[in-house]
PDB file of all heavy atoms in Angstrom:
ATOM      1  N   MET A 240      90.404 135.770  69.601  1.00  0.00           N
ATOM      2  CA  MET A 240      90.405 135.872  68.152  1.00  0.00           C
ATOM      3  C   MET A 240      91.411 136.932  67.700  1.00  0.00           C
ATOM      4  O   MET A 240      91.364 138.075  68.154  1.00  0.00           O
ATOM      5  CB  MET A 240      89.000 136.230  67.641  1.00  0.00           C
ATOM      6  CG  MET A 240      87.936 135.279  68.145  1.00  0.00           C
ATOM      7  SD  MET A 240      88.288 133.579  67.698  1.00  0.00           S
ATOM      8  CE  MET A 240      87.518 132.709  69.051  1.00  0.00           C
ATOM      9  N   VAL A 250      81.890 134.431  60.819  1.00  0.00           N
ATOM     10  CA  VAL A 250      81.960 133.127  61.483  1.00  0.00           C
ATOM     11  C   VAL A 250      80.593 132.799  62.064  1.00  0.00           C
ATOM     12  O   VAL A 250      80.063 133.538  62.900  1.00  0.00           O
ATOM     13  CB  VAL A 250      83.026 133.132  62.590  1.00  0.00           C
ATOM     14  CG1 VAL A 250      83.038 131.777  63.309  1.00  0.00           C
ATOM     15  CG2 VAL A 250      84.406 133.431  62.006  1.00  0.00           C
ATOM     16  N   PHE A 253      81.690 128.007  66.023  1.00  0.00           N
ATOM     17  CA  PHE A 253      83.073 127.833  66.486  1.00  0.00           C
ATOM     18  C   PHE A 253      83.047 126.747  67.548  1.00  0.00           C
ATOM     19  O   PHE A 253      82.468 126.938  68.611  1.00  0.00           O
ATOM     20  CB  PHE A 253      83.570 129.164  67.063  1.00  0.00           C
ATOM     21  CG  PHE A 253      84.947 129.125  67.661  1.00  0.00           C
ATOM     22  CD1 PHE A 253      86.050 129.440  66.900  1.00  0.00           C
ATOM     23  CD2 PHE A 253      85.126 128.791  68.998  1.00  0.00           C
ATOM     24  CE1 PHE A 253      87.313 129.440  67.466  1.00  0.00           C
ATOM     25  CE2 PHE A 253      86.380 128.777  69.564  1.00  0.00           C
ATOM     26  CZ  PHE A 253      87.484 129.107  68.792  1.00  0.00           C
ATOM     27  N   GLN A 353      77.918 143.849  61.975  1.00  0.00           N
ATOM     28  CA  GLN A 353      78.153 142.900  60.888  1.00  0.00           C
ATOM     29  C   GLN A 353      78.495 141.528  61.456  1.00  0.00           C
ATOM     30  O   GLN A 353      79.192 141.417  62.463  1.00  0.00           O
ATOM     31  CB  GLN A 353      79.299 143.390  59.998  1.00  0.00           C
ATOM     32  CG  GLN A 353      79.624 142.423  58.850  1.00  0.00           C
ATOM     33  CD  GLN A 353      80.706 142.970  57.942  1.00  0.00           C
ATOM     34  OE1 GLN A 353      80.502 143.976  57.260  1.00  0.00           O
ATOM     35  NE2 GLN A 353      81.860 142.325  57.964  1.00  0.00           N
ATOM     36  N   GLY A 354      77.992 140.474  60.799  1.00  0.00           N
ATOM     37  CA  GLY A 354      78.293 139.105  61.218  1.00  0.00           C
ATOM     38  C   GLY A 354      77.551 138.117  60.365  1.00  0.00           C
ATOM     39  O   GLY A 354      76.859 138.478  59.413  1.00  0.00           O
ATOM     40  N   GLU A 390      78.609 139.999  71.061  1.00  0.00           N
ATOM     41  CA  GLU A 390      78.958 138.587  71.138  1.00  0.00           C
ATOM     42  C   GLU A 390      80.124 138.290  70.199  1.00  0.00           C
ATOM     43  O   GLU A 390      80.473 139.073  69.313  1.00  0.00           O
ATOM     44  CB  GLU A 390      77.745 137.728  70.757  1.00  0.00           C
ATOM     45  CG  GLU A 390      76.599 137.804  71.756  1.00  0.00           C
ATOM     46  CD  GLU A 390      75.501 136.824  71.401  1.00  0.00           C
ATOM     47  OE1 GLU A 390      75.709 135.989  70.501  1.00  0.00           O
ATOM     48  OE2 GLU A 390      74.439 136.898  72.021  1.00  0.00           O
ATOM     49  N   ARG A 391      80.723 137.121  70.426  1.00  0.00           N
ATOM     50  CA  ARG A 391      81.848 136.690  69.604  1.00  0.00           C
ATOM     51  C   ARG A 391      81.449 136.644  68.131  1.00  0.00           C
ATOM     52  O   ARG A 391      80.325 136.269  67.787  1.00  0.00           O
ATOM     53  CB  ARG A 391      82.313 135.315  70.073  1.00  0.00           C
ATOM     54  CG  ARG A 391      83.558 134.798  69.380  1.00  0.00           C
ATOM     55  CD  ARG A 391      83.856 133.397  69.832  1.00  0.00           C
ATOM     56  NE  ARG A 391      84.294 133.355  71.222  1.00  0.00           N
ATOM     57  CZ  ARG A 391      84.482 132.227  71.905  1.00  0.00           C
ATOM     58  NH1 ARG A 391      84.225 131.063  71.325  1.00  0.00           N
ATOM     59  NH2 ARG A 391      84.895 132.273  73.145  1.00  0.00           N
ATOM     60  N   PHE A 392      82.376 137.072  67.273  1.00  0.00           N
ATOM     61  CA  PHE A 392      82.235 137.057  65.812  1.00  0.00           C
ATOM     62  C   PHE A 392      81.272 138.114  65.291  1.00  0.00           C
ATOM     63  O   PHE A 392      80.757 138.010  64.189  1.00  0.00           O
ATOM     64  CB  PHE A 392      81.808 135.673  65.291  1.00  0.00           C
ATOM     65  CG  PHE A 392      82.637 134.558  65.834  1.00  0.00           C
ATOM     66  CD1 PHE A 392      82.049 133.511  66.503  1.00  0.00           C
ATOM     67  CD2 PHE A 392      84.014 134.574  65.678  1.00  0.00           C
ATOM     68  CE1 PHE A 392      82.819 132.483  67.024  1.00  0.00           C
ATOM     69  CE2 PHE A 392      84.787 133.552  66.187  1.00  0.00           C
ATOM     70  CZ  PHE A 392      84.193 132.504  66.860  1.00  0.00           C
ATOM     71  N   MET A 393      80.985 139.147  66.126  1.00  0.00           N
ATOM     72  CA  MET A 393      80.255 140.315  65.659  1.00  0.00           C
ATOM     73  C   MET A 393      81.154 141.531  65.777  1.00  0.00           C
ATOM     74  O   MET A 393      82.019 141.584  66.660  1.00  0.00           O
ATOM     75  CB  MET A 393      78.986 140.558  66.494  1.00  0.00           C
ATOM     76  CG  MET A 393      77.969 139.454  66.472  1.00  0.00           C
ATOM     77  SD  MET A 393      76.531 139.890  67.504  1.00  0.00           S
ATOM     78  CE  MET A 393      75.615 138.372  67.463  1.00  0.00           C
TER      79      MET A 393
END
Side-chain angles (χ1 to χ4, degrees):
M240 306 303 150
V250 178
F253 176 93
Q353 179 177 294
E390 293 186 9
R391 185 185 291 173
F392 311 124
M393 299 180 187

